[in-house]
């Protein structure tokens, strides 16, 4: 729930605040969308099985969950590489940043990330789907990961495992290589900045991204970049929990607590929401003050009372105008 609320909040802030309409926040919002999608793919069924006695999932449902999990997860790694390129252009070529990272380029990079992710998992998905599944049909995991699913196959899985390994290597190490090259140039450029304040300011724009990259690549490379997956151990499950639950939950805090623009946008959003909630009460108070009763003076003579009431009405009307 924390992951869904936090990442949805990031998406709404980026869409609703003009101060966050920049390439960096465009990719941050898309990363948050992928976090919400991945969490929605894995966590609901995991919670249902936790509180259910059957703990079952259909064959089609298992393959569908696996496909979308790896599609969305692969897209995240491409977007992380794109975000490192965005930081490279912003720090190494600041004068050309607006020209290079224009709207058309950002959309093209985003679409390329989805297409590249789809192509990277296509071969392993095609090889896994037609395999004959038999045996106990018990998955030693909390979702349909590739290794425990392949253990249920009653045939030679060497080709499928090889395709899974090659796609993981190309995706993870390839995108990590692009990220590493970008940050190599970024670090060289930062060290060339003469002032300490300028170096700190330039490096602070990369800290959030470096933190997320470390969390994602560390656990994913440990799980998937191995020729023989073997048995799924508790360490693998812990790493998967880190990748599918913990990191999506931490992302909003990583990108918001260290970013002044996001904090200002969140503060303004909370103030606007509070004003909207308090608006009916302020209107009712205004109406009550406008129609407040007029005091009637005490007097013995009827003509004198009439004059005083008329004077009070005129005075009250002039004050309202």
């Amino acid at each position: 729930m924390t992951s869904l609320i936090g990442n949805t909040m990031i998406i709404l802030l980026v869409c609703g605040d003009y101060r966050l309409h920049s390439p960096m926040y465009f990719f941050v919002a898309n990363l948050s969308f992928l976090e919400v999608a991945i969490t929605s793919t894995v966590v609901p069924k995991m919670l249902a099985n936790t509180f259910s006695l059957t703990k079952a999932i259909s064959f089609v449902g298992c393959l569908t969950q696996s496909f979308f999990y790896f599609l969305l997860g692969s897209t995240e790694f491409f977007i992380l590489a794109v975000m490192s390129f965005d930081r490279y252009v912003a720090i190494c070529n600041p004068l050309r940043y607006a020209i290079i990272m224009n709207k058309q380029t950002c959309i093209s990079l985003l679409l390329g990330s989805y297409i590249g992710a789809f192509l990277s998992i296509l071969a392993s998905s095609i090889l896994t789907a037609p395999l004959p599944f038999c045996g106990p049909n018990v998955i030693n995991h909390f979702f349909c990961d590739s290794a425990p699913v392949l253990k249920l196959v009653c045939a030679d899985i060497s080709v499928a495992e090889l395709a899974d390994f090659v796609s993981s290597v190309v995706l993870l190490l390839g995108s990590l290589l692009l990220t590493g090259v970008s940050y190599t140039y970024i670090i060289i450029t930062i060290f060339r900045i003469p002032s300490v304040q300028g170096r700190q300011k330039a490096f602070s724009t990369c800290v959030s991204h470096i933190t997320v990259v470390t969390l994602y690549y560390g656990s994913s490379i440990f799980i998937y970049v191995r020729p023989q997956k073997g048995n799924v151990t508790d360490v693998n499950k812990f790493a998967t929990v880190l990748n599918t639950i913990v990191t999506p939950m931490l992302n909003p805090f990583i990108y918001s607590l260290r970013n002044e623009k996001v904090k200002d946008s969140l503060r303004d959003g909370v103030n606007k929401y509070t004003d909207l909630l308090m608006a009916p009460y302020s209107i009712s108070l205004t109406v009550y003050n406008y129609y407040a009763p007029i005091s009637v003076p005490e007097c013995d003579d009827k003509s004198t009372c009439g004059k005083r009431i008329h004077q009070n009405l005129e005075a009250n009307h002039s004050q309202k105008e």
Side-chain angles (χ1 to χ4, degrees):
M1 185 61 69
T2 304
S3 172
L4 294 176
I5 295 174
N7 286 290
T8 303
M9 178 194 68
I10 294 293
I11 296 172
L12 294 177
L13 288 177
V14 173
C15 293
D17 196 332
Y18 70 93
R19 291 172 295 183
L20 302 181
H21 291 175
S22 65
M24 182 180 74
Y25 296 109
F26 171 76
F27 293 117
V28 168
N30 280 279
L31 187 66
S32 296
F33 167 75
L34 291 171
E35 301 285 21
V36 172
I38 289 178
T39 303
S40 303
T41 301
V42 175
V43 175
K45 189 61 181 177
M46 181 190 70
L47 294 177
N49 288 336
T50 301
F51 299 102
S52 175
L53 296 177
T54 58
K55 304 181 187 302
I57 185 172
S58 65
F59 175 72
V60 176
C62 184
L63 292 183
T64 303
Q65 183 190 62
S66 179
F67 175 80
F68 280 103
Y69 170 78
F70 286 107
L71 174 64
L72 297 170
S74 300
T75 307
E76 282 190 336
F77 290 108
F78 278 102
I79 288 185
L80 288 173
V82 168
M83 292 174 70
S84 66
F85 174 73
D86 172 75
R87 293 297 84 206
Y88 159 75
V89 177
I91 295 175
C92 300
N93 296 282
L95 299 179
R96 301 181 58 195
Y97 179 73
I99 299 174
I100 297 175
M101 299 300 295
N102 54 48
K103 183 178 180 180
Q104 183 178 359
T105 302
C106 292
I107 294 176
S108 299
L109 290 172
L110 180 64
L111 293 177
S113 298
Y114 279 96
I115 294 173
F118 176 77
L119 294 177
S120 66
I121 68 169
L122 184 60
S124 58
S125 300
I126 292 175
L127 292 173
T128 302
L131 291 174
F133 290 86
C134 60
N137 292 333
V138 177
I139 299 175
N140 186 19
H141 216 303
F142 59 85
F143 83 107
C144 295
D145 202 357
S146 59
V149 169
L150 288 176
K151 283 180 64 66
L152 306 180
V153 175
C154 300
D156 184 16
I157 60 173
S158 58
V159 178
E161 282 188 333
L162 179 62
D164 195 14
F165 170 71
V166 171
S167 63
S168 298
V169 169
V170 172
L171 171 66
L172 294 174
L173 300 186
S175 59
L176 182 60
L177 177 62
L178 294 175
T179 303
V181 170
S182 297
Y183 274 106
T184 300
Y185 282 102
I186 288 172
I187 292 173
I188 293 173
T189 303
I190 288 176
F191 279 121
R192 290 176 179 175
I193 299 176
S195 63
V196 177
Q197 184 178 2
R199 289 196 294 268
Q200 291 177 347
K201 183 178 180 181
F203 185 74
S204 64
T205 62
C206 306
V207 172
S208 300
H209 182 255
I210 293 174
T211 305
V212 173
V213 165
T214 303
L215 290 173
Y216 267 109
Y217 281 97
S219 57
S220 297
I221 291 175
F222 174 79
I223 297 171
Y224 298 111
V225 184
R226 287 183 297 172
Q228 297 294 328
K229 298 295 191 297
N231 295 325
V232 179
T233 62
D234 292 336
V235 178
N236 291 48
K237 293 180 182 179
F238 174 77
T240 307
V241 169
L242 179 66
N243 214 17
T244 58
I245 300 175
V246 177
T247 303
M249 183 178 63
L250 294 178
N251 269 358
F253 299 99
I254 294 172
Y255 280 108
S256 61
L257 296 180
R258 299 189 62 87
N259 193 296
E260 292 298 329
K261 283 187 178 181
V262 175
K263 287 192 288 187
D264 292 341
S265 178
L266 178 60
R267 191 180 301 111
D268 294 343
V270 171
N271 292 336
K272 288 180 182 178
Y273 183 72
T274 305
D275 293 340
L276 288 176
L277 291 178
M278 297 300 296
Y281 300 99
S282 62
I283 292 174
S284 63
L285 290 174
T286 304
V287 172
Y288 176 78
N289 291 332
Y290 186 82
Y291 291 102
I294 301 172
S295 59
V296 179
E298 296 181 359
C299 56
D300 297 330
D301 189 4
K302 293 182 179 181
S303 61
T304 305
C305 280
K307 291 180 180 179
R308 290 181 180 178
I309 291 173
H310 182 69
Q311 291 174 357
N312 289 342
L313 286 172
E314 289 182 345
N316 189 33
H317 182 69
S318 62
Q319 289 177 0
K320 291 175 182 178
E321 291 180 347

